[in-house]
Amino acid sequence: MGAVRERLGPRRLLPLGEAADGVWLAEGAARRVLLRAVATVRGVVPGTLRVGLAEEGPDAPFPVPPGGLPPGRLRIAAEFATEVAQAADRPLLGVAEEVRGALFASADRELGLVVVTVDLRVTGLAERAADSSAATPPVGRFAGVSEDPAAHALLGIPGIAGLTSALGSPVHRTPGALRMELAVAAGHRALDVARAARARAAETAPEGTAVTVLVSEIQ
């Protein structure tokens, strides 16, 4: 059922960066990156992981997209098990601190999420770590190049893997507002790419238009 839900849509959208950035990230995309970070800790088997608001920030100066959380600081709640072979010679508290450090680092360096709390729950012992290649499928659907000038403006920006259509059209215009939806290529920080995309898209919009960006996928 979890895999089916992943295919149906981006689920919640997380505020990326600060309120003034006007950028959101699909929780499913963030979760895949964060679970990979947990899997790098020796002897750890990642479990469930959710990201939500720890504390609300200032009101968003931009329209919040459907399913989006308001700007604010975030909390990661994650579960993990430890391998039986590692449990005897590695203190559990030390392992948990490694997992916590990996999550904080990944959230900042790879994504740009403002995380202030990481809550962990140890679920037990496991025979061996799960194969990290068995990740859930991406949530975004790649879309063709739109004729909208905002879409063409994004071409060539480093780190953009393509436009996506998890929420419908990759370029969504309403009176006074413009929303772009895209995927970020591996090796690029999601927040930095989204900021560049938003700045470039704003150049094609009338003055006073509220421009926002949704990152629905990270390759």
Side-chain angles (χ1 to χ4, degrees):
M1 288 301 296
V4 170
R5 285 193 294 267
E6 289 291 345
R7 289 184 181 276
L8 291 178
R11 302 182 71 178
R12 293 189 303 176
L13 304 178
L14 309 173
L16 192 57
E18 303 291 342
D21 288 314
V23 179
W24 279 262
L25 170 66
E27 185 190 12
R31 189 167 55 250
R32 283 186 291 276
V33 173
L34 295 171
L35 286 174
R36 284 200 298 266
V38 174
T40 64
V41 179
R42 180 171 61 92
V44 166
V45 181
T48 61
L49 185 147
R50 294 300 304 272
V51 186
L53 276 182
E55 54 190 59
E56 282 199 38
D59 291 338
F62 307 99
V64 177
L69 297 178
R73 302 318 195 226
L74 299 172
R75 167 183 174 270
I76 296 175
E79 296 182 349
F80 70 92
T82 58
E83 290 185 31
V84 174
Q86 303 289 340
D89 61 354
R90 298 186 69 199
L92 188 55
L93 287 178
V95 174
E97 284 307 308
E98 287 187 52
V99 172
R100 181 173 282 109
L103 286 170
F104 270 123
S106 179
D108 178 40
R109 290 200 300 256
E110 297 184 77
L111 301 175
L113 295 173
V114 182
V115 175
V116 294
T117 303
V118 174
D119 293 333
L120 300 175
R121 178 173 178 267
V122 181
T123 57
L125 301 178
E127 290 298 324
R128 57 176 179 158
D131 183 1
S132 61
S133 65
T136 53
V139 298
R141 295 174 294 169
F142 278 93
V145 176
S146 169
E147 293 302 319
D148 193 291
H152 285 279
L154 267 56
L155 298 177
I157 295 180
I160 293 183
L163 301 180
T164 55
S165 55
L167 290 186
S169 172
V171 182
H172 181 73
R173 290 185 182 271
T174 56
L178 166 64
R179 184 182 73 233
M180 305 292 300
E181 184 183 322
L182 54 87
V184 171
H188 294 265
R189 188 171 183 244
L191 177 58
D192 296 339
V193 175
R195 281 172 171 166
R198 181 176 169 273
R200 187 75 62 83
E203 296 174 357
T204 72
E207 186 176 354
T209 300
V211 180
T212 56
V213 172
L214 163 60
V215 177
S216 65
E217 181 181 339
I218 298 175
Q219 293 188 332

